[in-house]
Amino acid sequence: GHTDEATAATCVQLADVLQELGQSEEAGIFMTRALNIREQIGHSSDAAVRQVREQWKTLAAASMEFDPVSAGETLPHISKRSAESYLHGWKERKQEAQKKEIK
C-alpha cells in the first residue's frame, strides 16, 4: 500500500539512485515521501524515521552544493565590452584626436 514499509524503502532507494545520477531535486521528493510514510507508520522518534530524516538532511545539503559550471550545464560568465560602449564618447574622442593632429 501507499503507507507500507516496503514503499518507504523503495522511495529511499529511488532517492539514492537519483542522487547518484545528479538529480537532487527529484531525489528530495522521494526522500520526503519516504519520511512521511515512515512517520505515519511509527512515531517520529522511531529509529527508522531518524535514519531517513538524517539521509534527507544529507541529501538536502548535497543539493545545495550543486555547481552548474562544474557539472557542465553552463559556461562561466565572462564579461565582454558591448559594441555600444565603444560608441559612447566616440565623437569626443574623434575631436580630441583631430585636435592632437592639428597641434
Side-chain angles (χ1 to χ4, degrees), residues 1-82:
H2 291 288
T3 57
D4 191 46
E5 183 72 29
T7 305
T10 302
C11 288
V12 170
Q13 291 172 349
L14 275 169
D16 289 339
V17 170
L18 288 169
Q19 178 62 28
E20 289 176 10
L21 293 173
Q23 299 177 359
S24 300
E25 291 180 18
E26 289 83 2
I29 293 169
F30 283 101
M31 193 61 79
T32 302
R33 183 171 179 209
L35 183 61
N36 289 337
I37 292 170
R38 294 273 171 107
E39 286 177 343
Q40 288 176 5
I41 294 171
H43 298 293
S44 60
S45 61
D46 188 22
V49 173
R50 284 185 295 203
Q51 180 183 7
V52 172
R53 189 175 289 129
E54 193 62 37
Q55 286 177 328
W56 184 82
K57 288 178 183 177
T58 303
L59 191 72
S63 68
M64 286 187 243
E65 294 177 8
F66 178 74
D67 182 16
V69 174
S70 64
E73 291 186 5
T74 186
L75 295 174
H77 178 73
I78 300 172
S79 295
K80 291 184 179 178
R81 187 169 177 180
S82 70

Side-chain angles (χ1 to χ4, degrees), residues 86-101:
Y86 290 106
L87 298 176
H88 296 293
W90 180 77
K91 289 182 179 180
E92 291 85 13
R93 288 193 304 267
K94 185 176 180 183
Q95 289 173 354
E96 288 177 14
Q98 286 176 347
K99 287 179 184 177
K100 288 182 182 178
E101 289 177 7

